Amino acid sequence: MAAPGKGFATGELIAARLARVFFDPQCPHCAALWQASKPLRDRVRMVWMPVAFIAPPSATQGALLLASDDPAALMDKHEAALAAGTGGLDVSGAAPPAEALASVKANTELWKRIGGGGVPHMLYRAGADGPYGAQEGQLSTEQLARVLGL
């Protein structure tokens, strides 16, 4: 499943399942999908592609995630801060690389072009021979496994 856009990957490099997830860092449903995906990382590779449309910090938070040396660990930190009611990563005084901000903007435009109306918006293929699909919204671990054919 080749696709333009930029994201960071979690899961096994050669997993039989691949999903691309457009997410806004300020989205609580995206945070729930992030948590739901963790038990499946041994069987699925997910590429998390930040978009920005919910709140002003979204673009900077997404760019900080893309520019991080360990985006999965930073995403965990971000989600913990968001759950604690502090708004996620502190972006006051943050100056992410212009390239990372441009990538978030490009991801947002791509998401709009493919018909994204809400986040999380997941594009996937359920196995090497499985169907391609798209899914919007929060899923539990069990629902995600079923969608991905695990």
Side-chain angles (χ1 to χ4, degrees), residues 58-145:
S58 296
T60 303
Q61 288 170 336
L64 290 171
L65 289 164
L66 288 178
S68 174
D69 289 336
D70 189 351
L74 189 58
M75 182 78 157
D76 281 335
K77 180 180 174 183
H78 167 73
E79 296 301 351
L82 201 59
T86 62
L89 294 174
D90 181 12
V91 297
S92 58
E99 179 182 314
L101 281 169
S103 292
V104 173
K105 183 178 179 182
N107 286 349
T108 304
E109 292 306 313
L110 174 61
W111 168 74
K112 289 177 183 176
R113 280 197 313 274
I114 63 171
V119 288
H121 184 107
M122 182 174 66
L123 304 175
Y124 64 89
R125 184 165 190 197
D129 299 322
Y132 288 96
Q135 173 77 40
E136 273 191 7
Q138 178 178 329
L139 297 170
S140 67
T141 300
E142 295 76 21
Q143 291 168 323
L144 182 58

Side-chain angles (χ1 to χ4, degrees), residues 22-102:
F22 292 91
F23 75 98
D24 187 299
Q26 289 291 300
C27 169
H29 303 292
C30 300
L33 185 62
W34 172 258
Q35 295 301 327
S37 72
K38 287 182 175 186
L40 305 176
R41 288 190 182 163
D42 63 334
R43 294 176 281 163
V44 65
R45 183 165 183 79
M46 297 181 84
V47 179
W48 295 84
M49 302 174 66
V51 300
F53 75 97
I54 292 179
S58 296
T60 303
Q61 288 170 336
L64 290 171
L65 289 164
L66 288 178
S68 174
D69 289 336
D70 189 351
L74 189 58
M75 182 78 157
D76 281 335
K77 180 180 174 183
H78 167 73
E79 296 301 351
L82 201 59
T86 62
L89 294 174
D90 181 12
V91 297
S92 58
E99 179 182 314
L101 281 169

